[in-house]
Amino acid sequence: MSTNLEGPIGELPHGRPPQTVVNDGRDYPRLGTVSFRRGTLTPRQQELWDDKWPTYGRVLDDAVIDTDSWFGRSAPTILEIGSGTGTSTVAMASREPDFNVIAVDLYKPGLAKLLGAFIREDLTNIRMIRGDGVEVLHRMIAPESLLGVRVFFPDPWPKARHHKRRIIQSGTLHLIASRLKPGGVLHVATDHADYAEWIDERVDVEPLLEYKGWPWNESPILTDRQLTTKFENRGLSMDHTIREYLWRRK
């Protein structure tokens, strides 16, 4: 499996990121120009990043992932889109030692925190991809290869003119369904009321997905996030209601 070692390790190419064009009549999120929040790595984080990223990380590219090779084993795989600083990623992966977990995010300092956390915890079942989650699904994930996809507290894009950027769209639900094995699970969580209404209107839009609601005790993957993330805590402090959604790939 190729790893991007040209130039700074784990850096995205400059300029507007590429976006896969799909003309199937479904709605896909429109990827705008990516502007990264300010944030630099500490010297220790940078040292760990330079040392460990070639093993545990990849930058978005067009090579389909061979999970057996990357993880050094054959195991069910879960993709988490928008892992942030990896709080829930580490908490859940530690309870899922027999599952491979691939965390996807654009923000380097968040991935660096995740890397440091799972190295300290001596977890060997986490890998990371730096890039847009929808593009990762399009370009790097083989059809019917995942047992689970997680989308926890995605950007709600609250302004109406930005709703086209929301990740939960009819096209994304179809794309996720195509990457799940039969019986695989999509788990979404949000604390944004308007976004919850948006998702409510789309729970049955994808024929390949059977909406299971919440909770679903027979789910083949862990659905208890174990702890609250900083974004979730922020929402709870403002009396937001956490809504969770589960679908099964038919």
Side-chain angles (χ1 to χ4, degrees):
M1 176 178 297
S2 63
T3 302
N4 181 10
L5 295 177
E6 297 181 2
I9 293 173
E11 292 300 326
L12 292 165
H14 291 290
R16 188 180 182 87
Q19 183 165 13
T20 301
V21 177
V22 182
N23 295 310
D24 63 3
R26 298 181 178 90
D27 295 323
Y28 289 84
R30 182 174 299 177
L31 182 62
T33 301
V34 177
S35 59
F36 296 109
R37 292 167 285 173
R38 290 182 178 272
T40 57
L41 307 191
T42 66
R44 172 56 184 153
Q45 285 178 324
Q46 188 64 58
E47 180 183 358
L48 189 66
W49 181 275
D50 292 342
D51 183 41
K52 299 296 185 181
W53 179 266
T55 299
Y56 295 104
R58 288 187 58 172
V59 173
L60 174 68
D61 61 26
D62 290 315
V64 175
I65 293 169
D66 179 345
T67 55
D68 289 5
S69 174
W70 200 12
F71 286 86
R73 66 175 184 174
S74 180
T77 300
I78 297 170
L79 185 79
E80 181 180 353
I81 298 175
S83 54
T85 58
T87 306
S88 60
T89 313
V90 170
M92 297 180 79
S94 66
R95 296 279 304 277
E96 302 171 305
D98 296 329
F99 291 174
N100 298 333
V101 178
I102 300 174
V104 180
D105 208 284
L106 283 161
Y107 187 49
K108 182 177 177 181
L111 290 171
K113 288 182 179 179
L114 168 57
L115 176 63
F118 75 73
I119 293 294
R120 286 193 302 272
E121 295 289 333
D122 197 27
L123 298 177
T124 60
N125 62 330
I126 298 177
R127 299 292 186 270
M128 303 172 295
I129 300 176
R130 191 174 182 202
D132 174 72
V134 175
E135 286 305 304
V136 169
L137 285 166
H138 274 301
R139 299 161 59 184
M140 301 182 74
I141 305 300
E144 297 191 358
S145 63
L146 301 173
L147 181 63
V149 173
R150 290 169 174 153
V151 187
F152 295 157
F153 304 97
D155 193 327
W157 294 106
K159 295 180 180 179
R161 68 176 184 272
H162 291 153
H163 285 181
K164 59 183 175 289
R165 295 187 180 184
R166 289 175 167 176
I167 190 171
I168 303 301
Q169 307 269 359
S170 60
T172 315
L173 289 170
H174 177 71
L175 176 61
I176 290 171
S178 74
R179 275 25 180 190
L180 287 171
K181 297 175 181 288
V185 177
L186 168 60
H187 182 183
V188 175
T190 184
D191 70 333
H192 192 275
D194 181 62
Y195 205 167
E197 291 180 7
W198 173 276
I199 298 171
D200 287 341
E201 294 172 357
R202 289 160 177 79
V203 294
D204 296 319
V205 73
E206 173 48 50
L208 290 174
L209 293 175
E210 176 188 5
Y211 182 56
K212 305 300 289 187
W214 178 268
W216 175 30
N217 296 330
E218 294 77 26
S219 172
I221 68 171
L222 182 67
T223 59
D224 181 355
R225 288 177 287 106
Q226 301 298 300
L227 43 77
T228 55
T229 67
K230 69 175 184 179
F231 296 104
E232 186 174 356
N233 279 323
R234 184 183 303 166
L236 292 171
S237 71
M238 295 185 288
D239 294 325
H240 290 185
T241 299
I242 307 300
R243 291 286 306 280
E244 309 220 23
Y245 301 82
L246 293 166
W247 292 260
R248 181 182 67 87
R249 167 68 151 86
K250 293 180 183 178

